Amino acid sequence: MTASANAASYFVDRHSTERPDKIAFREAAGKKRSLKYGQLASDSNQIAGALTRAGIARESRIAMLVLDQIEFPQIYWGALKAGVIPVPLNTLLGADVYDSILRDSRASALFVSVELWPVVKQAALASPDVQHIVVIGGDAPEGTIGLSDFLAGADPQETLSCSADEVAFWLYSSGSTGQPKGVRHVHGALRATAETYGSQVLNLDEQDVVYSVAKLFFAYGMGNAMSMPMAVGATSVLFNGRPTPEGVLDILEAEKPTVFCGVPTLYAATLAQLEMVTKPNAPLRCCISAGEALPKDIGRKWHALWGIDILDGVGSTEMLHIFLSNRADDVVYGTSGIAVPGYQLRLVNEDGAEVAQGEIGELLVSGESAAEGYWNQRDKSRETFEGKWTRTGDKYERDQQGRYIYCGRTDDMFKVSGIWLSPFEVEQALISHPSVLEAAVVSARDSADLEKPKAFIVLKHGVASPELADELKAFVKDKIGKWKYPRWIEFAEDLPKTATGKIQRFKLREGA
Ligand code: 3SK
């Protein structure tokens, strides 16, 4: 019999003989539990057995509304072992979205952290498909069963053999524009990301301790904090709370990670916090950023403070993880770097033809980790997955050295006086002003119904004033060009963002 390509064989079972006593996961909060590789292998067998006993058949979906805690990997890998498809859900959504995802996925079971039960309760109890509601932690509320009772007495089940092309898990992507789509990923995709970005860009090894602010339900977090460290037998630090700059600094001090995976917003806020408190003592060797392009100034300030760079990279739920990135020995802030080994990139115009160096085009990517398609959304699948190429919806140009420079989302770009304007370029200019913490730029219409840039700004400290708005407009004019300055400036407490910190410009556009 050929070796099984079930991802659980590679990520879990292999370690139960090679390093059973090595800690795979360590919780940074609450009871601060840890989970060894050997224990994870047997716990996931137990979950697989319990799923089968409950009549949850191969290829059925189970929804996971689970915080970053050790039950997440136990349930996820247990499902893969049984051929059941886990669908980790964003833990920050509202009741209506859970309702539509449970209906869309037709999940036959829901695993939910007790803290999250109130928000999903109505949707779960009303779902025609959900047959089992398994609650993690606390007392099981009426109509649910606790995880330990669900598992009690089940016969452990070994990893089922399957091909690398079999669907392993789904992730719901709402992208930056709204409507969630079920993105179907195959078993082979997890290993593809670990063997490309994980080992060839991050250079992860068994000694590493990884801390990711992006949660496990999100593709970026799942790779950073679960599959990539597990591929090399490293340790991942899990934190079940909301990431804040204070919390990040505490975890860096207490857990001593060697690899930190952040997002630009949190890097910016952590740098602002570090203006007021002492830098923690942490053995960081590598910091990465994704979710949205990292403003130059943030990278430079971080480097000045820590002596190491932030590797800015680009990934997507559809590609599972990062496929375009800076490298430790070649960081140029303000660029997204070059293709990660194993991926190919193209920049194309509206007719699908390659653009020349220096011209802006949409980024297309090809690589082993691409999703199989969206669940039950044929038109959207066809628009995004074109043969071996996946459309990213991001606009880029290439500099003379072949590095990719982010220009904005396809639908965020607009023309001012007939010239393309990249909102991102204006935002970068605004962020480099000492009073600005975050900025988002969208198109708005002036009294002549012409498109012009409008900025939403979060200030670092202090109070907004009409003089500051004028100062910022002049600052942008001087820095990047007279026609690019924001004609209107609105000061805000915060900006609407996705779970990974991508600014939802469509929400600001609606308001503008
Ligand atoms: O959203 C992103 O930018 C991202 C980055 C890395 C991996 C996965 C995703 C979705």
Side-chain angles (χ1 to χ4, degrees), residues 66 99 114 125 130 137 175 183 187 205 224 247 256 261 274 312 337 347 435 492 497:
V66 180
D99 187 70
V114 71
L125 294 175
V130 174
V183 180
H187 281 258
D205 73 24
N224 299 337
K256 307 269 182 257
C261 313
L274 282 167
D312 186 21
L347 286 186
S435 300
K497 299 203 188 86

Coordinates of all heavy atoms in Angstrom, one line a residue, residues 66 99 114 125 130 137 175 183 187 205 224 247 256 261 274 312 337 347 435 492 497:
V66 N -13.8 27.8 17.7 CA -12.9 27.4 18.8 C -11.8 28.5 19.0 O -11.2 28.9 18.0 CB -12.3 26.0 18.6 CG1 -11.4 25.6 19.7 CG2 -13.4 25.0 18.4
D99 N -25.2 32.0 11.2 CA -26.4 31.3 10.7 C -26.2 31.0 9.2 O -26.4 29.8 8.8 CB -27.6 32.2 10.9 CG -28.9 31.5 10.5 OD1 -29.2 30.6 11.3 OD2 -29.4 31.9 9.5
V114 N -16.9 27.4 25.1 CA -18.1 27.8 25.9 C -18.3 29.3 25.9 O -19.4 29.8 25.8 CB -18.0 27.2 27.3 CG1 -16.9 27.9 28.1 CG2 -19.3 27.3 28.0
L125 N -28.9 26.0 17.2 CA -30.1 25.3 17.6 C -31.1 25.3 16.5 O -31.9 24.3 16.3 CB -30.7 25.8 18.9 CG -29.8 25.7 20.1 CD1 -30.4 26.4 21.3 CD2 -29.6 24.2 20.5
V130 N -27.1 20.6 11.8 CA -26.2 20.4 13.0 C -26.9 19.4 13.9 O -28.0 19.6 14.5 CB -25.9 21.7 13.8 CG1 -25.2 21.4 15.1 CG2 -25.1 22.7 12.9
G137 N -15.0 23.3 27.5 CA -14.9 24.1 28.7 C -16.2 24.4 29.4 O -17.2 24.4 28.7
G175 N -12.9 37.9 2.5 CA -12.1 38.9 1.8 C -12.2 40.2 2.4 O -12.5 40.4 3.6
V183 N -13.9 28.2 1.2 CA -12.7 27.9 0.4 C -12.2 26.5 0.8 O -11.9 26.2 1.9 CB -11.5 28.9 0.7 CG1 -10.3 28.6 -0.1 CG2 -12.0 30.3 0.5
H187 N -5.5 18.0 1.3 CA -4.5 17.6 2.3 C -3.1 18.1 1.9 O -2.3 18.5 2.7 CB -4.5 16.1 2.4 CG -5.6 15.6 3.3 ND1 -5.4 15.1 4.6 CD2 -7.0 15.4 3.1 CE1 -6.6 14.8 5.1 NE2 -7.5 14.9 4.2
D205 N 12.8 25.7 12.6 CA 13.3 24.4 13.0 C 12.8 24.0 14.4 O 12.1 24.8 15.0 CB 14.9 24.3 12.9 CG 15.6 25.1 14.0 OD1 15.0 25.3 15.1 OD2 16.7 25.5 13.8
N224 N 1.0 29.8 10.6 CA 2.0 30.3 11.5 C 2.1 29.5 12.8 O 3.2 29.2 13.3 CB 1.7 31.8 12.0 CG 1.7 32.8 10.9 OD1 2.3 32.6 9.9 ND2 0.9 33.9 11.1
G247 N -0.6 43.3 25.5 CA -0.6 41.8 25.6 C 0.6 41.2 24.8 O 1.2 40.2 25.2
K256 N 8.9 34.1 25.6 CA 10.2 34.1 24.9 C 10.1 33.4 23.5 O 10.9 32.5 23.2 CB 11.3 33.3 25.7 CG 11.4 33.9 27.1 CD 12.4 35.0 27.2 CE 12.7 35.5 28.6 NZ 12.0 36.8 28.8
C261 N 4.8 36.5 14.6 CA 4.0 36.7 13.4 C 2.9 37.7 13.7 O 2.0 37.5 14.4 CB 3.3 35.4 12.9 SG 4.4 34.0 12.9
L274 N 5.7 51.1 22.8 CA 7.2 51.0 23.2 C 7.8 52.4 23.3 O 8.9 52.5 23.8 CB 8.0 50.1 22.2 CG 7.8 48.6 22.3 CD1 8.3 47.9 21.2 CD2 8.4 48.1 23.6
D312 N 8.0 41.3 5.4 CA 6.6 41.5 4.9 C 6.3 40.6 3.8 O 7.1 40.4 2.9 CB 6.6 43.0 4.4 CG 5.1 43.4 4.1 OD1 4.2 42.7 4.6 OD2 5.0 44.4 3.3
G337 N 8.7 42.1 -1.7 CA 9.8 41.1 -2.0 C 9.5 40.3 -3.3 O 9.0 40.9 -4.3
L347 N 2.0 39.4 -13.5 CA 1.2 40.7 -13.4 C 0.5 40.9 -14.8 O 1.2 41.0 -15.8 CB 2.1 41.9 -13.1 CG 2.7 42.0 -11.8 CD1 3.5 43.3 -11.6 CD2 1.6 41.9 -10.7
S435 N 2.3 62.4 14.0 CA 1.0 62.3 14.8 C 0.1 61.2 14.3 O -0.9 60.9 15.0 CB 0.2 63.6 14.6 OG 1.0 64.7 15.0
A492 N -10.8 59.5 13.1 CA -11.6 58.5 13.6 C -10.9 57.8 14.8 O -9.7 58.0 15.0 CB -11.8 57.4 12.5
K497 N -11.9 46.8 10.2 CA -10.8 45.9 9.7 C -11.4 44.4 9.7 O -12.3 44.1 10.4 CB -9.6 45.9 10.6 CG -8.9 47.2 10.7 CD -7.5 47.1 11.1 CE -6.9 48.4 11.4 NZ -7.1 48.9 12.7

